[in-house]
Every structure is written in C-alpha cells, then in structure tokens.
Amino acid sequence: MLNKYARAFFTRVLTPFAAFLIRRGVSPDTVTLIGTAGVVVGALAFFPRGEFFWGTVVITLFVFSDLVDGNMARQLGRSSRWGAFLDSTLDRVADGAIFGGFALWYAGQGDNDVLCAVSIFCLASGQVVSYTKARGESIGLPVAVNGLVERAERLVVSLVAAGLAGLHAFGVPGIDVLLPVALWIVALGSLVTLVQRVVTVRREAAEADAGQPNPPSGRGALGGENAG
C-alpha cells in the first residue's frame, strides 16, 4: 500500500530536487551511497544511546535518497542493472543498521534481552523476506505476491515509533512504549510476509516444474549457491 501510494506522492514532490542535483552534476550512484551512509550513521550513532528522536530525524533526511536516485536515473535515461543492484544491496545495509541500532540499545542501556532478540529477528527476517523474492525471480518465477509487511512498511512503522518514543527524553510520559510495540508488529508482520512468499514460490515452482520434464534442482553439495 505504501509502495503504491506514498512512493508516487513523494516521487512527484522530489522530482524538482532530483533535477537540481542533475544540473549540479551529481550522479544517482553518489546519491545512493550518501543516502546509505547517512542512514547508517544516524542509526548507529544515535539509536544505541537511546537518542531515538534525533536518530530518526537524521535517518529520515537521508532515507528519501532511495526515491531521489531512481528519479534521477529515469530523468537521465540511465536506468541500469548496476544501479538496481547497488540500490537493492545498500537498502539491505541501511535496514541492518536501523534494526542493529535498536538491538544494540536493548543489549546495552535499554537492558531488555527479549526486545534485543525481537530487534535481531526484525533485522534477519527483513533480509530473508527480500531474499525470497529476489531468489524466486532469479529462477524464473514471478513471485506474484507482495505480502503484509514490505520494506516500506517496516521502515515507516519502526521509524515513526522510534521518533515518537524519543519524545520521552523531552518529558512526554509513557510514549516510550511505542517502540517495543512497533518492533513486535514488524516482527510478526515480517514472519507472515515470509510465509506468504514461501508459499507463493512453492506453488509457482510446482506449476513451472509440472510443465518441465527435467527441472534443474539448483542444489549443490553444500546446500546451493548461497551456502557460503
């Protein structure tokens, strides 16, 4: 839902800024790299210290680079496989930093092993959810399902909750409970999404294999190409 509506809205809003960067000679790859670096710094410099409000502010300023770089590529007519690969890869880095920052807080000053584990689960499940779609598509399947919680939903739910929870430091009582609630929501939503995608890939694979006499297994001695 967020990908369908919010992305279209912000794309229109950010188009003039993307055009400005193009006139200044900035490349889409540069925007991608700077945006990811900003998210990583914001997450790992602020979240482990419990400074959720300012960390969210910094991350939000840079997270829109995910829309700006694609907008620039389209305006330049330079959409490429390399750009798509770089963008997708660095998205995983940014997501890891955000949930890793939450985990470091709860492992340290936050002193909550359960929420530390939930944060780590959010990090890992988000990576696997993305992998299932990419892997399914790489073996020729459409993976015709998005699922309950995609990357946009994971980021919006967790970052909005973190930003609001950070207002506790400014004297707003009881609001810090929003972050734990959001992490549980993201964790459960990611699990549902993972199941949805696995079930879809299994069904599509069975249908594809039924029309193929000797389908390739894609499995090696150590469990496939990604065993390492």
Side-chain angles (χ1 to χ4, degrees), residues 64-188:
F64 285 107
S65 65
D66 191 45
L67 298 177
V68 173
D69 56 6
N71 193 309
M72 292 173 66
R74 285 189 294 274
Q75 290 191 45
L76 291 168
R78 292 184 190 170
S79 295
S80 64
R81 291 182 177 85
W82 161 250
F85 170 81
L86 180 66
D87 189 55
S88 180
T89 300
L90 294 184
D91 281 349
R92 307 288 82 78
V93 173
D95 293 358
I98 290 170
F99 290 103
F102 293 145
L104 288 172
W105 162 250
Y106 287 116
Q109 297 179 51
D111 193 23
N112 192 315
D113 291 343
V114 172
L115 288 175
C116 176
V118 172
S119 299
I120 293 172
F121 180 83
C122 289
L123 190 163
S125 61
Q127 308 292 332
V128 177
V129 164
S130 297
Y131 173 80
T132 54
K133 188 173 182 67
R135 180 61 175 139
E137 291 175 341
S138 74
I139 58 176
L141 301 176
V143 193
V145 62
N146 290 322
L148 182 64
V149 175
E150 294 187 278
R151 182 173 188 257
E153 285 82 7
R154 291 196 300 271
L155 289 182
V156 169
V157 171
S158 57
L159 290 178
V160 168
L164 293 174
L167 295 177
H168 181 74
F170 297 92
V172 179
I175 201 166
D176 53 323
V177 73
L178 289 177
L179 181 56
V181 170
L183 289 173
W184 277 107
I185 290 173
V186 170
L188 294 174

Side-chain angles (χ1 to χ4, degrees), residues 141-145 195-210:
L141 301 176
V143 193
V145 62
V195 172
Q196 288 176 306
R197 289 191 174 180
V198 169
V199 169
T200 298
V201 169
R202 187 177 188 278
R203 174 178 53 79
E204 293 176 348
E207 293 172 354
D209 291 345

